[in-house]
Amino acid sequence: MPQLYYQRAFVDSNTIKITEDGNFFDVVFATETPVYRNGWDESFYEILSCNSVHIRAGRLENGVVPLLDNHARTKQLGIVTKYSIENNECRATIKFSTQEQFTGIWNDILAGIIRSISVGYNVHKYLREINGEGSAPNYRAIDWEPIEISLTPIPADYHASIREETTTQKPEIVMPSNNEHTERTQATEILTAERNRCTLIRNAARIAKMDVDFTDDLIERGLTIEQAREEIFNKMAEQSQAPTVNTAHVTADESEKTREAMTVALLHRAAPGSVPLIDQAHDYKYLTLLDFARRCIDQRGDKSNRYSPNEVVKRAFSSTDFPVLLHNAVERSIKKYYDGIDSDWKKIAKKTTAKDFKEKTGTEISGSTTFEEIKEGGEYKNAFIISSNQNKVQLKTFGRVIKVTRKTVINDDLEVFNELPRILAYAAENFQAQKVWSLVTQNAKSSDNVPLFHANHKNLFNHPLNEEGLNALRTSMKRQTQVTQEPIIAPKFLIVPIELQMKAEKMLTSEIASEKNDKNTMRNSFTPINTPWLTDPNVWYLCADPNLSNGLVYAYLEGEEGLHVEKEVDFNDDSLSTKARIDFDCTIWDHRSWTKSSIQ
């Protein structure tokens, strides 16, 4: 999961504690109270684990976590001097600034006017916990890092606060139960109550036809269902006095169709004629990127004409399908170009997959595979399949990113949907081609730690590219034997540099051998391959079918073969990153299916 920055508002518990020094106070900056969130893939209840093993406390321990005024990084009010974790609460002691300009804020803290605390943090890892059918799951942050603490007026977690002791009566302390079942029951009751609160508020808001932002605000402020209903009623009364506006509500199925039509229209604008326009796409074929963002906002029931271009982009990225639309267009363009490339290197190497990034070994047959007579009552002899420690491949990850920024949208820069995907697709193809062909051109070592083409392998010659030369290399390969001492498969491909392309094609297509003016015995004997990756104009090769014999091997991650594309939205700078990556490796597992000749 990508690292994202969140800001979490909390509700005061009406307690303040001021130390004798006068400029220190204690806060509870995080508890394990579930907070409802709207995610890109699903809605969920976020829980910050208040377990020390789940918190990156380096900033806290080094005293570099600031106290800010409502998350304003340019307005520091103090600094955290120490922290502790007790009873599933994260607590901190804060030294408040002595600057005169902040005296009013300090007095409001003393007077109990400012009570709410918020923490800004990075989540590095969530644990997804299922709550049952029909309920949103828990996302428990089991690797997170506090960045800053703020005084803020907007609450959501009513257990986090500035702490105060105003009575001499000792508060009731509930000790953790030793009964694990009881602890789970208590946690379940808390989660169930929070889910019910959110569900009831959403149902009430939906019946009253309240918009999503208003509903989310009711939930995040921690209102009870009674308080939420009162605000909904007041909002309805306010709306009844305003002119009626017909708002378009889009169903999930309609939303999918609309997004598909927008994607097609966007690709058509970026590269006219590259995709056929479906009926609904004609409605969007002249829209700019900013127009698309406004449409996405309007479809949520909001009014995009109230916002500046900058605000339109910000809202479209944070609360609509706009990032999905952009990603779909970039991904489809990348795959269109990538899938349209004729990869000659895939013809001469065997494809395999690996389940992970650990080293994978190939297999060999131990003993002869020749069928033997089985007399009545006799036993079948095993042909053991063994793992070869010499045949190895290990995946590595390679990739690039196409970023759609706020500036891209406002400037209506369409190159990001056509030219950049084309360049990236061909870059991915060329990267893999260079890796595979370099095994041949650089004479990489085979699994026996000897160069692929070597006298010991009996596959290195000095013959011209003619009928006799082809026959000599073909004979040599057919005389090779596999590990089982059985003949190897005959060569299939004649591979030449582009300088020898015409000569090779004539030899394999002409009915008459030009040198002796008789029948061409090599006609249609091989499939020609010419490639610019072969830079020596005086070298040519024969290669067997890689699917029938080991030779060159390339591997992808299982389930993600080829170029894999995924998206990542960055809410800090309102941008979409479309990452194209390849989990790939290639190597030589056997030398017997290749021969090489240099022209004398």
Side-chain angles (χ1 to χ4, degrees):
M1 181 173 292
Q3 177 178 324
L4 297 176
Y5 183 79
Y6 291 88
Q7 292 183 343
R8 182 184 179 98
F10 301 105
V11 171
D12 173 40
S13 63
N14 297 320
T15 60
I16 294 178
K17 177 182 178 182
I18 306 301
T19 66
E20 295 179 356
D21 293 336
N23 60 343
F24 288 83
F25 62 95
D26 296 339
V27 300
V28 175
F29 65 86
T31 72
E32 294 193 355
T33 300
V35 175
Y36 189 82
R37 300 288 192 195
N38 286 316
W40 286 105
D41 298 322
E42 61 180 346
S43 298
F44 58 91
Y45 292 93
E46 185 187 45
I47 300 173
L48 292 180
S49 173
C50 293
N51 187 321
S52 60
V53 300
H54 296 155
I55 302 173
R56 300 190 183 189
R59 293 173 182 267
L60 291 167
E61 292 169 350
N62 291 315
V64 294
V65 175
L67 175 71
L68 304 179
D69 184 8
N70 202 21
H71 302 293
R73 300 188 179 188
T74 58
K75 194 171 182 180
Q76 183 173 350
L77 303 177
I79 194 75
V80 174
T81 59
K82 63 180 180 179
Y83 82 101
S84 63
I85 301 174
E86 303 174 24
N87 298 329
N88 293 328
E89 291 182 343
C90 295
R91 307 182 182 189
T93 297
I94 294 177
K95 181 178 182 181
F96 196 81
S97 174
T98 57
Q99 294 187 45
E100 186 176 349
Q101 59 178 315
F102 299 139
T103 301
I105 297 176
W106 176 249
N107 290 335
D108 285 343
I109 293 175
L110 292 175
I113 296 173
I114 297 179
R115 300 173 177 177
S116 301
I117 296 298
S118 173
V119 60
Y121 56 94
N122 284 336
V123 175
H124 298 276
K125 188 176 183 180
Y126 282 117
L127 176 64
R128 186 177 185 273
E129 301 171 334
I130 298 175
N131 284 321
E133 186 176 356
S135 298
N138 295 336
Y139 276 34
R140 186 178 296 274
I142 58 173
D143 183 4
W144 65 283
E145 179 181 22
I147 303 298
E148 50 92 355
I149 296 175
S150 287
L151 299 176
T152 177
I154 302 177
D157 179 353
Y158 50 85
H159 293 118
S161 63
I162 301 174
R163 299 188 62 80
E164 175 189 35
E165 293 180 0
T166 57
T167 68
T168 57
Q169 182 179 359
K170 185 177 180 180
E172 180 183 1
I173 300 176
V174 180
M175 299 301 294
S177 172
N178 293 326
N179 189 315
E180 184 178 355
H181 175 72
T182 302
E183 292 178 353
R184 290 182 178 177
T185 301
Q186 292 172 346
T188 301
E189 290 175 352
I190 294 174
L191 292 174
T192 301
E194 176 64 10
R195 286 198 298 271
N196 289 340
R197 183 185 72 89
C198 295
T199 300
L200 291 172
I201 291 176
R202 290 191 181 281
N203 289 341
R206 184 173 62 253
I207 293 172
K209 298 182 179 180
M210 297 291 107
D211 61 41
V212 175
D213 290 340
F214 178 79
T215 306
D216 289 345
D217 180 62
L218 297 178
I219 293 173
E220 291 178 2
R221 285 161 54 199
L223 300 184
T224 65
I225 180 60
E226 290 77 14
Q227 292 170 329
R229 283 172 177 161
E230 182 178 354
E231 293 210 12
I232 291 172
F233 180 80
N234 293 337
K235 187 71 172 179
M236 291 174 63
E238 177 185 328
Q239 291 177 342
S240 66
Q241 299 175 3
T244 302
V245 178
N246 293 325
T247 302
H249 294 279
V250 183
T251 66
D253 185 54
E254 291 173 340
S255 179
E256 289 288 339
K257 292 179 180 178
T258 300
R259 188 163 60 236
E260 172 63 17
M262 286 183 170
T263 301
V264 170
L266 178 54
L267 290 173
H268 180 77
R269 271 202 69 217
S274 60
V275 292
L277 285 176
I278 58 179
D279 292 340
Q280 191 177 353
H282 287 279
D283 298 338
Y284 310 107
K285 63 182 179 181
Y286 297 119
L287 297 188
T288 65
L289 293 177
L290 192 60
D291 292 334
F292 280 115
R294 291 188 182 278
R295 288 294 183 97
C296 290
I297 292 174
D298 293 340
Q299 287 171 0
R300 290 186 68 252
D302 204 345
K303 299 176 182 178
S304 64
N305 57 2
R306 297 184 298 182
Y307 307 123
S308 67
N310 189 62
E311 184 66 18
V312 165
V313 176
K314 189 176 186 66
R315 286 177 175 267
F317 267 110
S318 63
S319 59
T320 75
D321 285 344
F322 187 57
V324 180
L325 164 66
L326 299 180
H327 170 73
N328 287 350
V330 175
E331 178 183 26
R332 194 171 301 183
S333 186
I334 291 173
K335 290 191 173 181
K336 178 193 72 174
Y337 285 114
Y338 183 77
D339 294 341
I341 299 173
D342 182 19
S343 304
D344 52 22
W345 60 271
K346 291 183 179 179
K347 300 174 184 177
I348 55 122
K350 176 188 289 187
K351 175 183 173 182
T352 186
T353 59
K355 292 185 177 180
D356 50 38
F357 293 87
K358 298 177 182 178
E359 196 170 58
K360 175 183 177 179
T361 59
T363 58
E364 292 180 349
I365 303 295
S366 175
S368 174
T369 58
T370 302
F371 276 54
E372 299 179 357
E373 180 184 359
I374 308 297
K375 298 187 181 295
E376 186 175 354
E379 294 183 358
Y380 288 81
K381 293 184 178 180
N382 289 324
F384 294 101
I385 299 178
I386 61 173
S387 175
S388 172
N389 292 327
Q390 295 177 326
N391 299 344
K392 298 178 180 179
V393 65
Q394 186 171 12
L395 297 179
K396 304 175 186 66
T397 300
F398 310 91
R400 278 288 184 268
V401 171
I402 291 180
K403 196 165 188 177
V404 182
T405 64
R406 176 175 56 86
K407 184 177 179 181
T408 302
V409 176
I410 293 176
N411 291 346
D412 196 35
D413 186 357
L414 298 179
E415 291 297 308
V416 74
F417 301 102
N418 183 46
E419 186 61 16
L420 286 181
R422 184 190 67 81
I423 293 173
L424 190 147
Y426 276 91
E429 161 64 19
N430 289 336
F431 170 79
Q432 296 171 89
Q434 187 273 333
K435 286 282 188 182
V436 173
W437 281 114
S438 66
L439 297 174
V440 177
T441 59
Q442 297 180 17
N443 202 16
K445 289 184 178 181
S446 184
S447 59
D448 58 1
N449 207 33
V450 176
L452 172 60
F453 304 108
H454 193 275
N456 292 349
H457 288 163
K458 300 178 182 179
N459 64 353
L460 184 59
F461 302 94
N462 293 298
H463 292 299
L465 181 56
N466 56 22
E467 192 173 12
E468 288 75 15
L470 283 171
N471 184 58
L473 265 67
R474 179 175 60 181
T475 301
S476 172
M477 183 178 293
K478 286 187 173 183
R479 289 297 183 188
Q480 294 274 17
T481 56
Q482 303 183 58
V483 177
T484 59
Q485 302 303 312
E486 295 161 359
I488 200 162
I489 305 299
K492 178 178 181 179
F493 299 105
L494 169 60
I495 305 169
V496 298
I498 55 178
E499 289 83 358
L500 298 177
Q501 176 183 355
M502 185 173 68
K503 184 174 184 178
E505 290 175 348
K506 282 184 177 181
M507 289 183 60
L508 299 179
T509 58
S510 176
E511 294 186 4
I512 304 298
S514 58
E515 295 182 4
K516 296 183 179 180
N517 201 29
D518 57 4
K519 185 177 180 180
N520 181 12
T521 60
M522 292 297 171
R523 185 170 183 262
N524 298 327
S525 295
F526 309 99
T527 301
I529 294 178
N530 66 86
T531 174
W533 293 103
L534 300 182
T535 56
D536 189 340
N538 297 312
V539 173
W540 56 280
Y541 307 85
L542 289 184
C543 169
D545 187 339
N547 295 312
L548 301 178
S549 61
N550 281 333
L552 272 58
V553 175
Y554 67 96
Y556 292 122
L557 185 65
E558 187 176 288
E560 297 186 0
E561 292 84 352
L563 191 62
H564 184 73
V565 182
E566 58 189 30
K567 72 176 184 295
E568 180 177 308
V569 180
D570 189 338
F571 300 106
N572 290 328
D573 62 1
D574 300 319
S575 66
L576 167 75
S577 294
T578 294
K579 298 189 294 185
R581 62 172 170 81
I582 306 169
D583 300 311
F584 177 81
D585 192 23
C586 59
T587 189
I588 304 170
W589 273 4
D590 195 14
H591 64 273
R592 299 172 180 87
S593 57
W594 280 81
T595 59
K596 172 184 177 181
S597 182
S598 298
I599 298 176
Q600 295 177 331

